Amino acid sequence: CSEAAEAVGAHFLDAPISGGPGGAADSTLSIMVGGSDQAFEIANQYFVKMGSNVMLMGPSGAGTAMKLINQLLVGVNTVAAAEAFALANSAGVDITVAADLLAVSWGGSTMVGRSAPITAARDFENSAAPVRNLDKDMGIIKQLASDEGLALELAVQVQRMFAEMIAKGKNEHDIAAVLEIIEERSN
């Protein structure tokens, strides 16, 4: 797309976002941009109206690559949080209390804070962050890793777990519902 646009004297930017519906409503999206400095300079005045974290990541394609890097961490951190919550449940530790402590500890993460209340309430159905979206992204990441010759073993395992959720008809469940896969695999 970038080459075709440049061939006719136009600019092209890839500019995926992160922050969900809340970030869009509050104009606090993270916007990861790939393209030329000149094109970014022209479009940035509009990006900053939608997002508070707007960064030029590199040439065309770098914005999309950054989005996939973010989604890789979302997937892995979501599964790690779900495993931690499964252990908390098993050991008799209240997930909400655990999340409060983790928020000020090295084990904390955005996904721990986000997933804790959803997991504690087991409010997995009809989510704004459905499994189908992350499953799609993890599949793209798996393919990109293969194309790049990278062994991203955690990403591959996470993708399998989300694909299993899809196979079980949990497409619209929240990504934190991966806890159910962990529970099913446990004694």
Side-chain angles (χ1 to χ4, degrees):
C1 290
S2 178
E3 290 173 5
E6 289 173 12
V8 296
H11 295 287
F12 178 87
L13 296 168
D14 57 292
I17 61 169
S18 182
D26 297 340
S27 300
T28 59
L29 292 170
S30 292
I31 305 175
M32 302 148 250
V33 185
S36 72
D37 290 338
Q38 182 184 11
F40 179 74
E41 204 172 294
I42 294 167
N44 192 43
Q45 64 183 315
Y46 303 103
F47 289 144
V48 298
K49 292 179 181 184
M50 298 179 283
S52 58
N53 300 297
V54 180
M55 292 188 187
L56 179 62
M57 304 310 302
S60 185
T64 300
M66 187 64 226
K67 172 66 175 187
L68 294 172
I69 292 164
N70 182 70
Q71 293 305 92
L72 168 74
L73 290 168
V74 168
V76 170
N77 286 324
T78 297
V79 172
E83 286 190 351
F85 296 149
L87 182 58
N89 282 337
S90 180
V93 176
D94 182 283
I95 291 173
T96 305
V97 176
D100 288 344
L101 181 67
L102 290 170
V104 295
S105 302
W106 281 15
S109 71
T110 299
M111 297 318 294
V112 166
R114 181 218 172 263
S115 295
I118 295 166
T119 303
R122 296 188 81 88
D123 184 19
F124 298 136
E125 294 185 18
N126 301 315
S127 171
V131 167
R132 67 178 159 73
N133 289 350
L134 193 53
D135 177 63
K136 170 193 59 78
D137 291 344
M138 295 307 296
I140 295 168
I141 292 163
K142 183 178 169 184
Q143 183 59 55
L144 180 59
S146 176
D147 293 349
E148 296 291 329
L150 295 172
L152 302 182
E153 295 176 22
L154 289 175
V156 169
Q157 182 58 31
V158 166
Q159 191 275 327
R160 285 183 189 138
M161 293 175 82
F162 286 112
E164 186 175 335
M165 293 182 71
I166 296 289
K168 292 178 183 267
K170 297 182 178 185
N171 306 25
E172 299 304 317
H173 278 55
D174 191 88
I175 57 177
V178 73
L179 173 79
E180 295 176 335
I181 298 296
I182 295 163
E183 291 172 341
E184 290 170 13
R185 293 178 177 179
S186 301
N187 293 334

Coordinates of all heavy atoms in Angstrom, one line a residue, residues 53-111:
N53 N -0.8 8.8 23.4 CA 0.5 8.1 23.2 C 0.6 7.8 21.8 O 0.3 6.7 21.3 CB 0.5 6.8 24.1 CG 0.4 7.1 25.5 OD1 1.2 7.8 26.1 ND2 -0.7 6.6 26.1
V54 N 1.1 8.8 21.0 CA 1.3 8.6 19.6 C 2.8 8.6 19.3 O 3.5 9.5 19.6 CB 0.6 9.8 18.8 CG1 0.8 9.6 17.3 CG2 -0.8 9.9 19.2
M55 N 3.2 7.5 18.6 CA 4.6 7.3 18.3 C 4.9 6.8 16.9 O 4.2 5.9 16.5 CB 5.3 6.4 19.3 CG 5.4 6.9 20.7 SD 6.4 5.8 21.7 CE 6.1 6.5 23.3
L56 N 5.8 7.4 16.2 CA 6.3 6.9 15.0 C 7.3 5.8 15.3 O 8.3 6.0 15.9 CB 7.0 8.0 14.1 CG 7.6 7.6 12.8 CD1 6.4 7.1 11.9 CD2 8.3 8.8 12.1
M57 N 7.0 4.6 14.9 CA 7.7 3.4 15.2 C 8.8 3.1 14.2 O 9.8 2.4 14.5 CB 6.8 2.2 15.4 CG 5.7 2.4 16.4 SD 6.1 3.0 18.0 CE 7.3 1.8 18.5
G58 N 8.7 3.6 13.0 CA 9.7 3.4 12.0 C 9.0 3.4 10.6 O 8.0 4.0 10.5
P59 N 9.6 2.8 9.6 CA 9.1 2.8 8.3 C 7.8 2.1 8.1 O 7.3 1.5 9.1 CB 10.2 2.2 7.4 CG 10.9 1.2 8.3 CD 10.8 1.9 9.7
S60 N 7.2 2.2 7.0 CA 5.9 1.5 6.7 C 5.9 0.1 7.2 O 6.9 -0.6 6.9 CB 5.6 1.6 5.2 OG 4.3 1.1 5.0
G61 N 4.9 -0.3 7.9 CA 4.8 -1.7 8.5 C 5.2 -1.7 9.9 O 4.9 -2.7 10.7
A62 N 6.0 -0.7 10.4 CA 6.5 -0.8 11.8 C 5.4 -0.5 12.8 O 5.4 -1.1 13.9 CB 7.6 0.3 12.0
G63 N 4.4 0.2 12.4 CA 3.2 0.5 13.3 C 2.5 -0.9 13.5 O 2.1 -1.2 14.7
T64 N 2.3 -1.6 12.5 CA 1.6 -2.9 12.6 C 2.4 -3.9 13.3 O 1.9 -4.6 14.2 CB 1.3 -3.4 11.2 OG1 0.4 -2.5 10.5 CG2 0.6 -4.8 11.2
A65 N 3.7 -3.9 13.1 CA 4.6 -4.8 13.9 C 4.5 -4.4 15.4 O 4.5 -5.3 16.2 CB 6.0 -4.7 13.4
M66 N 4.5 -3.1 15.7 CA 4.4 -2.7 17.1 C 3.1 -3.2 17.7 O 3.0 -3.6 18.9 CB 4.6 -1.2 17.3 CG 4.7 -0.8 18.7 SD 6.1 -1.4 19.5 CE 5.4 -1.9 21.1
K67 N 2.0 -3.1 17.0 CA 0.7 -3.5 17.5 C 0.8 -5.0 17.8 O 0.3 -5.5 18.8 CB -0.4 -3.3 16.4 CG -1.7 -3.9 16.7 CD -2.4 -3.3 18.0 CE -3.8 -3.8 18.1 NZ -4.6 -3.2 19.2
L68 N 1.4 -5.8 16.9 CA 1.6 -7.2 17.1 C 2.4 -7.5 18.3 O 2.2 -8.5 19.1 CB 2.0 -7.9 15.9 CG 1.1 -7.9 14.7 CD1 1.7 -8.4 13.4 CD2 -0.2 -8.7 15.0
I69 N 3.5 -6.7 18.5 CA 4.3 -6.9 19.7 C 3.5 -6.6 21.0 O 3.6 -7.4 22.0 CB 5.5 -5.9 19.6 CG1 6.5 -6.3 18.5 CG2 6.3 -5.8 21.0 CD1 7.5 -5.3 18.1
N70 N 2.7 -5.6 21.0 CA 1.8 -5.3 22.1 C 0.8 -6.5 22.3 O 0.6 -6.9 23.5 CB 1.0 -4.0 21.8 CG 0.1 -3.7 23.0 OD1 0.5 -3.3 24.0 ND2 -1.2 -3.8 22.8
Q71 N 0.2 -7.0 21.3 CA -0.7 -8.1 21.4 C -0.1 -9.4 21.9 O -0.7 -10.2 22.6 CB -1.5 -8.3 20.1 CG -2.4 -7.2 19.7 CD -3.4 -6.8 20.8 OE1 -3.1 -6.0 21.6 NE2 -4.5 -7.5 20.8
L72 N 1.2 -9.6 21.5 CA 1.9 -10.7 22.0 C 2.0 -10.7 23.5 O 1.7 -11.6 24.2 CB 3.3 -10.8 21.4 CG 4.3 -11.7 22.0 CD1 4.0 -13.2 21.7 CD2 5.8 -11.4 21.6
L73 N 2.3 -9.5 24.0 CA 2.4 -9.3 25.5 C 1.1 -9.4 26.1 O 1.0 -9.9 27.2 CB 3.2 -8.0 25.8 CG 4.7 -8.0 25.5 CD1 5.3 -6.6 25.5 CD2 5.4 -9.0 26.4
V74 N 0.0 -8.9 25.5 CA -1.3 -9.0 26.0 C -1.7 -10.5 26.2 O -2.1 -10.9 27.3 CB -2.4 -8.3 25.1 CG1 -3.8 -8.6 25.6 CG2 -2.2 -6.8 25.2
G75 N -1.4 -11.2 25.2 CA -1.8 -12.7 25.2 C -1.0 -13.4 26.3 O -1.6 -14.1 27.1
V76 N 0.3 -13.2 26.3 CA 1.2 -13.9 27.2 C 0.9 -13.5 28.7 O 0.7 -14.3 29.6 CB 2.7 -13.8 26.9 CG1 3.6 -14.3 28.0 CG2 3.0 -14.5 25.6
N77 N 0.7 -12.2 28.9 CA 0.4 -11.7 30.2 C -1.0 -12.1 30.7 O -1.2 -12.3 31.9 CB 0.6 -10.2 30.3 CG 2.0 -9.7 30.3 OD1 2.9 -10.4 30.9 ND2 2.3 -8.6 29.6
T78 N -1.9 -12.2 29.8 CA -3.3 -12.6 30.1 C -3.3 -14.1 30.6 O -3.9 -14.4 31.7 CB -4.3 -12.5 28.9 OG1 -4.4 -11.1 28.6 CG2 -5.6 -13.0 29.3
V79 N -2.5 -14.9 29.9 CA -2.4 -16.3 30.3 C -1.6 -16.4 31.6 O -2.0 -17.2 32.6 CB -1.8 -17.2 29.2 CG1 -1.5 -18.6 29.7 CG2 -2.7 -17.3 28.0
A80 N -0.6 -15.6 31.8 CA 0.2 -15.7 33.0 C -0.7 -15.2 34.2 O -0.6 -15.8 35.3 CB 1.4 -14.8 32.9
A81 N -1.5 -14.2 34.0 CA -2.4 -13.7 35.1 C -3.4 -14.8 35.4 O -3.7 -15.0 36.6 CB -3.1 -12.4 34.7
A82 N -3.9 -15.5 34.4 CA -4.9 -16.5 34.6 C -4.3 -17.7 35.4 O -4.9 -18.2 36.3 CB -5.5 -17.0 33.3
E83 N -3.0 -18.0 35.1 CA -2.4 -19.1 35.8 C -2.2 -18.6 37.3 O -2.4 -19.4 38.2 CB -1.0 -19.4 35.2 CG -1.2 -20.3 33.9 CD 0.1 -20.9 33.4 OE1 1.2 -20.5 33.9 OE2 0.0 -21.7 32.5
A84 N -1.8 -17.4 37.5 CA -1.6 -16.9 38.8 C -2.9 -16.9 39.6 O -3.0 -17.3 40.8 CB -1.0 -15.5 38.8
F85 N -4.0 -16.5 39.0 CA -5.3 -16.5 39.6 C -5.8 -18.0 39.9 O -6.4 -18.2 40.9 CB -6.3 -15.8 38.8 CG -6.0 -14.3 38.6 CD1 -6.4 -13.6 37.5 CD2 -5.3 -13.6 39.6 CE1 -6.1 -12.2 37.4 CE2 -5.0 -12.2 39.5 CZ -5.4 -11.6 38.4
A86 N -5.5 -18.9 39.0 CA -5.8 -20.3 39.3 C -5.1 -20.8 40.5 O -5.6 -21.5 41.4 CB -5.5 -21.2 38.1
L87 N -3.8 -20.4 40.6 CA -3.0 -20.8 41.8 C -3.6 -20.1 43.1 O -3.7 -20.7 44.1 CB -1.5 -20.4 41.6 CG -0.6 -20.8 42.8 CD1 -0.6 -22.3 43.1 CD2 0.8 -20.3 42.4
A88 N -4.0 -18.8 42.9 CA -4.5 -18.1 44.1 C -5.8 -18.8 44.5 O -6.0 -19.1 45.7 CB -4.8 -16.7 43.7
N89 N -6.7 -19.1 43.6 CA -7.9 -19.8 43.9 C -7.6 -21.1 44.6 O -8.3 -21.5 45.7 CB -8.8 -20.1 42.7 CG -9.5 -18.9 42.2 OD1 -9.8 -18.0 42.9 ND2 -9.9 -18.9 40.9
S90 N -6.7 -21.9 44.1 CA -6.4 -23.2 44.7 C -5.8 -23.1 46.1 O -6.1 -23.9 47.0 CB -5.4 -23.9 43.8 OG -5.0 -25.2 44.3
A91 N -5.0 -22.0 46.3 CA -4.3 -21.9 47.6 C -5.1 -21.1 48.6 O -4.7 -20.8 49.7 CB -3.0 -21.2 47.4
G92 N -6.3 -20.6 48.2 CA -7.2 -19.9 49.1 C -6.9 -18.4 49.2 O -7.3 -17.8 50.2
V93 N -6.2 -17.9 48.2 CA -5.9 -16.4 48.2 C -7.0 -15.7 47.4 O -7.2 -16.1 46.3 CB -4.5 -16.2 47.6 CG1 -4.2 -14.7 47.5 CG2 -3.4 -16.9 48.4
D94 N -7.6 -14.7 48.0 CA -8.6 -13.9 47.3 C -7.9 -13.2 46.1 O -6.9 -12.4 46.3 CB -9.2 -12.9 48.3 CG -10.3 -12.0 47.7 OD1 -9.9 -11.1 46.9 OD2 -11.4 -12.3 47.9
I95 N -8.5 -13.3 44.9 CA -7.9 -12.7 43.7 C -7.8 -11.2 43.8 O -6.8 -10.6 43.4 CB -8.7 -13.2 42.5 CG1 -8.5 -14.6 42.2 CG2 -8.3 -12.3 41.3 CD1 -9.4 -15.2 41.1
T96 N -8.9 -10.6 44.4 CA -8.9 -9.1 44.5 C -7.8 -8.6 45.4 O -7.1 -7.7 45.1 CB -10.3 -8.7 44.9 OG1 -11.3 -9.2 44.1 CG2 -10.4 -7.2 44.9
V97 N -7.6 -9.3 46.5 CA -6.5 -8.9 47.4 C -5.2 -9.2 46.8 O -4.2 -8.4 46.9 CB -6.7 -9.7 48.8 CG1 -5.5 -9.4 49.7 CG2 -8.0 -9.3 49.4
A98 N -5.0 -10.3 46.1 CA -3.8 -10.6 45.4 C -3.5 -9.5 44.4 O -2.3 -9.1 44.3 CB -3.9 -12.0 44.7
A99 N -4.5 -9.1 43.6 CA -4.2 -8.1 42.6 C -3.8 -6.8 43.2 O -2.9 -6.1 42.6 CB -5.5 -7.9 41.8
D100 N -4.4 -6.4 44.4 CA -3.9 -5.2 45.1 C -2.5 -5.3 45.4 O -1.7 -4.3 45.3 CB -4.8 -5.0 46.3 CG -6.2 -4.5 46.0 OD1 -6.5 -4.1 44.9 OD2 -7.0 -4.6 46.9
L101 N -2.0 -6.4 45.9 CA -0.6 -6.5 46.3 C 0.3 -6.6 45.1 O 1.3 -5.9 45.0 CB -0.4 -7.8 47.1 CG 1.1 -8.0 47.6 CD1 1.5 -6.9 48.5 CD2 1.3 -9.3 48.2
L102 N -0.2 -7.3 44.0 CA 0.6 -7.4 42.8 C 0.8 -6.0 42.1 O 1.8 -5.8 41.4 CB 0.0 -8.4 41.8 CG 0.1 -9.8 42.3 CD1 -0.8 -10.7 41.4 CD2 1.5 -10.3 42.2
A103 N -0.2 -5.1 42.3 CA -0.1 -3.8 41.7 C 1.1 -3.0 42.2 O 1.6 -2.1 41.5 CB -1.4 -3.0 42.0
V104 N 1.6 -3.4 43.4 CA 2.8 -2.7 43.9 C 4.0 -3.6 44.0 O 4.9 -3.3 44.7 CB 2.5 -2.0 45.3 CG1 1.5 -0.9 45.2 CG2 2.0 -3.1 46.3
S105 N 3.9 -4.7 43.3 CA 5.0 -5.7 43.3 C 5.5 -6.0 41.9 O 4.8 -5.6 40.9 CB 4.5 -7.0 43.9 OG 4.0 -6.8 45.2
W106 N 6.6 -6.6 41.8 CA 7.2 -6.9 40.4 C 6.3 -7.8 39.6 O 6.4 -7.7 38.4 CB 8.5 -7.5 40.6 CG 9.6 -6.5 40.9 CD1 9.5 -5.2 41.3 CD2 11.0 -6.7 40.8 NE1 10.7 -4.6 41.5 CE2 11.7 -5.6 41.2 CE3 11.8 -7.8 40.4 CZ2 13.1 -5.4 41.2 CZ3 13.2 -7.7 40.5 CH2 13.8 -6.5 40.9
G107 N 5.5 -8.6 40.2 CA 4.6 -9.5 39.4 C 3.4 -8.8 38.8 O 2.7 -9.5 38.0
G108 N 3.1 -7.6 39.1 CA 2.0 -6.9 38.6 C 2.1 -6.5 37.2 O 3.2 -6.5 36.6
S109 N 1.0 -6.4 36.5 CA 1.0 -6.0 35.1 C -0.4 -5.3 34.8 O -1.3 -5.5 35.6 CB 1.2 -7.1 34.2 OG 0.1 -8.0 34.2
T110 N -0.5 -4.7 33.7 CA -1.8 -4.1 33.3 C -2.8 -5.2 33.2 O -4.0 -5.1 33.6 CB -1.6 -3.4 31.9 OG1 -0.7 -2.3 32.1 CG2 -3.0 -2.9 31.4
M111 N -2.4 -6.4 32.6 CA -3.4 -7.5 32.5 C -3.8 -8.1 33.8 O -4.9 -8.6 33.9 CB -2.8 -8.5 31.5 CG -2.6 -8.0 30.1 SD -3.8 -6.9 29.4 CE -5.2 -8.0 29.3

